[in-house]
Amino acid sequence: MEKKDNPILKLSFEFSIQVVLYCELLEEKRKYVISKQLLKSGISIGANIKEAQNAESKADFIHKIKIALKEVEETEYWLEICKAVDTYPDTQNLINKLLEIRKILTKIIATSKLNLKNQTN
């Protein structure tokens, strides 16, 4: 499935690019520790969503999307730290996009669980 056909793939890919660019700004300011942590969790969201597209089963799909949702939580933590530090670049745009991703992932999980339950009944 192409990114253009799948809104969450597109959104998470665009978010990953924005995280990379933000982390490059942090690196320029020599904020290496936060940059590395944010980069890992931030781009992992999209990687897990992409991996879920080739899940072996509906349960495997749900599991992989849940992992992406966990990465959303970690990424939000790092962005909130950056937001709290006055000398860091603004994170509000990233936080807004992350909240949108969280909303979609939560809906995907709920719908997928319902579909899985209906398949087994």
Side-chain angles (χ1 to χ4, degrees):
M1 186 174 287
E2 296 287 322
K3 283 191 291 284
K4 64 182 182 225
D5 301 329
N6 187 323
I8 191 61
L9 276 177
K10 183 177 187 285
L11 189 61
S12 62
F13 183 80
E14 290 168 356
F15 179 78
S16 293
I17 299 301
Q18 289 179 335
V19 166
V20 168
L21 295 173
Y22 183 83
C23 288
E24 285 178 355
L25 286 175
L26 291 181
E27 295 273 329
E28 286 173 16
K29 294 178 174 285
R30 303 168 55 95
K31 312 294 187 191
Y32 302 116
V33 174
I34 295 290
S35 175
K36 287 184 185 347
Q37 293 295 329
L38 176 58
L39 185 64
K40 285 179 186 178
S41 64
I43 63 175
S44 180
I45 297 165
N48 281 293
I49 293 168
K50 178 76 172 170
E51 188 178 336
Q53 305 310 301
N54 295 307
E56 295 176 15
S57 65
K58 185 61 91 175
D60 186 38
F61 174 81
I62 293 167
H63 175 71
K64 287 176 177 16
I65 294 296
K66 282 183 171 181
I67 292 171
L69 191 56
K70 286 182 178 183
E71 295 296 336
V72 165
E73 298 302 323
E74 181 179 344
T75 301
E76 182 181 31
Y77 178 78
W78 296 119
L79 288 173
E80 290 293 339
I81 288 175
C82 292
K83 184 179 179 179
V85 178
D86 292 341
T87 59
Y88 279 44
D90 184 51
T91 60
Q92 196 56 54
N93 185 44
L94 285 169
I95 291 171
N96 292 343
K97 286 214 181 297
L98 191 62
L99 295 176
E100 188 178 349
I101 291 169
R102 174 191 286 133
K103 227 185 270 188
I104 295 169
L105 290 179
T106 302
K107 181 71 173 166
I108 289 170
I109 291 167
T111 302
S112 297
K113 282 182 173 181
L114 185 61
N115 291 343
L116 183 62
K117 182 180 176 191
N118 290 338
Q119 281 179 350
T120 56
N121 290 339

